[in-house]
Amino acid sequence: QAQLRESGGGLVQAGGSLRLSCKAQRMILSTFSGADMEWYRQTPGNQRELVAQITSGRVTKYKDAVKGRFTISRDNGKRTVDLQLSSLKPEDTAVYYCHVPGPYNYWGQGTQVTVSS
């Protein structure tokens, strides 16, 4: 079964930037390139919320609160999907998860992003 591994989280001051990366392991190229990819985030006591999505055709969609600040991208050859976080705010603090939707429903283990004010 494929696994998703996120990296790049950390502690950053408000206004700063981070780049999260998600690597799909044991996922054949045709499956990865044909799949939509998503980034979610979750704070304690709350449900996971969709932050950004990139389709197999590279169409992107963002949660309103992050539009203009976050950018999702993918590299099919490397089987990675990245999320560039800029102009970070304390309310962006969360565990960020990579997700493959649809019949696969793969989730990564998450990476913590903490934004200090």
Side-chain angles (χ1 to χ4, degrees):
Q1 179 165 330
Q3 287 186 333
L4 303 178
R5 294 198 179 275
E6 302 95 336
S7 61
L11 173 63
V12 64
Q13 288 188 333
S17 299
L18 284 173
R19 189 174 185 89
L20 308 182
S21 187
C22 172
K23 172 75 174 179
Q25 299 176 326
R26 296 199 297 271
M27 194 169 185
I28 63 175
L29 179 58
S30 60
T31 299
F32 183 88
S33 60
D36 297 345
M37 300 294 296
E38 298 172 334
W39 281 96
Y40 277 74
R41 67 186 182 189
Q42 186 174 27
T43 53
N46 293 305
Q47 290 187 332
R48 291 180 188 182
E49 58 178 11
L50 180 62
V51 174
Q53 179 191 68
I54 184 166
T55 69
S56 58
R58 300 181 186 270
V59 175
T60 58
K61 184 171 66 176
Y62 298 92
K63 177 181 173 64
D64 285 347
V66 308
K67 283 181 181 177
R69 299 190 298 119
F70 291 7
T71 303
I72 189 170
S73 60
R74 65 190 297 163
D75 185 329
N76 290 338
K78 295 181 180 179
R79 296 171 183 76
T80 58
V81 56
D82 290 354
L83 187 66
Q84 177 69 41
L85 287 62
S86 303
S87 302
L88 282 162
K89 304 175 181 180
E91 52 263 44
D92 295 319
T93 295
V95 179
Y96 284 72
Y97 295 90
C98 183
H99 179 239
V100 182
Y104 309 108
N105 196 29
Y106 298 142
W107 288 95
Q109 82 288 351
T111 186
Q112 176 71 47
V113 172
T114 302
V115 184
S116 63
S117 56

